[in-house]
Amino acid sequence: SKENLCEKLDELNDDVWDIVECRKDEAINECERIINAKWLKHELTQCVGNTHNLFQSEINRFILSSYFIIAFVYYQIGKPLPKRFQEHALPFTMESDFVDDPISEIHTLYQKAAKYIKE
């Protein structure tokens, strides 16, 4: 009886390891399929594009808020706005809706913003 139980335990152990190996192979195949699929690149491209748009929206919001505060202060002191604030509301926007290298584009945008604020 004890030998019979040990034999059944060994059989169950082998069955479990067979199931584990089978599922491991399936998981590896699924990972390879996902890596080789085109949708991953597409989704990453969209994620970078959305991040780009989020940065641009936040920068635009900051600029417009700054303009609002500056216009309010000038209104309160009774002076006209300087020409640089009257000419355009958003002096630095990114060149296109989506660029190949958004990090360098955003860095360039920050440099433009810093230069504009120093004036």
Side-chain angles (χ1 to χ4, degrees):
S1 163
K2 186 176 180 181
E3 290 176 8
N4 201 9
L5 287 175
C6 286
E7 187 178 313
K8 282 188 176 187
L9 182 63
D10 286 340
E11 287 176 12
L12 287 174
N13 186 27
D14 290 340
D15 290 344
V16 167
W17 277 109
D18 288 342
I19 292 170
V20 167
E21 287 297 321
C22 181
R23 294 213 177 151
K24 177 183 167 187
D25 291 339
E26 289 173 0
I28 289 172
N29 290 337
E30 181 69 15
C31 285
E32 288 175 357
R33 189 181 66 75
I34 288 172
I35 289 171
N36 294 331
K38 299 288 182 189
W39 70 268
L40 183 62
K41 183 177 179 181
H42 173 73
E43 291 298 319
L44 287 175
T45 304
Q46 281 211 289
C47 182
V48 169
N50 290 338
T51 304
H52 172 273
N53 290 336
L54 178 66
F55 273 114
Q56 183 65 54
S57 297
E58 289 299 315
I59 290 169
N60 290 349
R61 188 171 62 106
F62 169 75
I63 292 168
L64 290 174
S65 297
S66 300
Y67 282 173
F68 176 76
I69 292 168
I70 290 168
F72 179 76
V73 168
Y74 273 92
Y75 176 77
Q76 289 297 317
I77 61 175
K79 290 186 178 179
L81 280 173
K83 283 192 177 189
R84 68 182 173 138
F85 293 109
Q86 295 174 0
E87 291 173 3
H88 37 17
L90 294 174
F92 20 85
T93 58
M94 294 191 183
E95 307 332 350
S96 63
D97 291 334
F98 182 74
V99 291
D100 292 332
D101 188 10
I103 302 298
S104 65
E105 184 71 19
I106 289 169
H107 179 69
T108 304
L109 181 64
Y110 284 135
Q111 288 176 338
K112 286 180 184 178
K115 180 181 174 185
Y116 187 79
I117 289 171
K118 287 179 185 177
E119 290 179 357

